[in-house]
Amino acid sequence: DADAPAQFHFLYLFDPHWLYQPSDAHRELGITRHHDLGVLREELATLTPTERDELERVYADDVERVDRAIGHLCAELKRRGLWDSSSIVLFADHGEYLGETTWDGDAWVGHTVDLSDTLMRVPLWVHAPNVKPGVVTEPVSLIDLGATVLDVAGLPAELGHGRSLLKGPLRDTLYMHVDFEPALLRADSQRKRALMWGVVDR
């Protein structure tokens, strides 16, 4: 109902995450025998090129299901005449390794190992009546997401942490981490451990 009071909904789509679930078309792929992530990581070096391709296709199935779900949501809002008055903020918290090599030189499936582009470059899409269409090519941080959502909703961005991405200027420094204990980068630091807590200057 277009005249109904404003509502807030949080939709959490967990599909593109271990355990990857193949579509019916890929149900018989050999990679689905790996139900234990630890075992799969140990066996990465022995996977055939075909099995590595299968791993990527199974993950792609998960991503496609999420894409379809978002498409259905947008189509339904349009069908009900709510699209122009609706605000949507779509984002992901991290990417995923699918057998690629980490900064340590090890093959990996999953995340939580480093701060590479594979894990840190994620989608962020904002649709709202008060937002002009456009593309931001500069890196931004999800640390500013709360303030941005408040801004989109017409509420004071100061109520949230960070700053609204709609107001600018963008941050000069981005903060990223995959651990909860800061590590200083010293001459004797292990590269992997130090890079688990990152400050990236643009």
Side-chain angles (χ1 to χ4, degrees):
D1 184 353
D3 296 324
Q7 300 179 35
F8 175 83
H9 297 275
F10 181 79
L11 181 61
Y12 183 43
L13 301 170
F14 197 71
D15 296 60
H17 204 286
W18 184 262
L19 176 68
Y20 313 134
Q21 299 296 320
S23 66
D24 290 340
H26 297 154
R27 188 72 60 188
E28 301 305 318
L29 294 178
I31 199 69
T32 58
R33 71 178 187 274
H34 293 92
H35 292 292
D36 185 284
L37 185 56
V39 172
L40 176 57
R41 287 170 177 165
E42 291 175 1
E43 295 183 354
L44 270 175
T46 66
L47 294 184
T48 67
T50 298
E51 287 178 318
R52 284 181 177 267
D53 289 344
E54 289 172 354
L55 178 62
E56 293 183 8
R57 282 193 286 168
V58 172
Y59 181 79
D61 281 348
D62 283 346
V63 175
E64 185 180 349
R65 272 195 296 276
V66 168
D67 188 61
R68 285 199 306 269
I70 294 168
H72 291 323
L73 171 64
C74 294
E76 184 64 15
L77 288 172
K78 292 175 181 178
R79 188 187 71 81
R80 296 187 182 195
L82 298 172
W83 176 255
D84 291 337
S85 61
S86 295
S87 298
I88 301 174
V89 179
L90 171 70
F91 64 97
D93 57 340
H94 59 74
E96 197 88 335
Y97 276 123
L98 297 172
E100 296 94 337
T101 302
T102 70
W103 284 346
D104 259 3
D106 299 323
W108 192 255
V109 174
H111 43 279
T112 69
V113 287
D114 61 30
L115 298 171
S116 68
D117 274 2
T118 301
L119 300 184
M120 303 310 297
R121 295 189 64 156
V122 296
L124 175 59
W125 174 59
V126 177
H127 163 80
N130 59 335
V131 177
K132 295 180 180 179
V135 177
V136 175
T137 58
E138 296 181 78
V140 297
S141 175
L142 294 182
I143 196 173
D144 294 321
L145 194 60
T148 303
V149 170
L150 289 169
D151 195 10
V152 167
L155 299 171
E158 295 75 19
L159 295 175
H161 295 290
R163 63 181 74 162
S164 172
L165 297 174
L166 305 181
K167 294 286 175 59
L170 300 179
R171 293 179 180 272
D172 292 326
T173 302
L174 302 181
Y175 300 89
M176 304 181 293
H177 70 85
V178 294
D179 201 349
F180 296 99
E181 297 178 14
L184 298 177
L185 184 58
R186 302 183 302 270
D188 60 345
S189 295
Q190 291 185 357
R191 179 173 171 79
K192 178 180 179 181
R193 183 66 186 86
L195 290 176
M196 289 178 77
W197 186 277
V199 179
V200 180
D201 294 315
R202 284 196 268 127

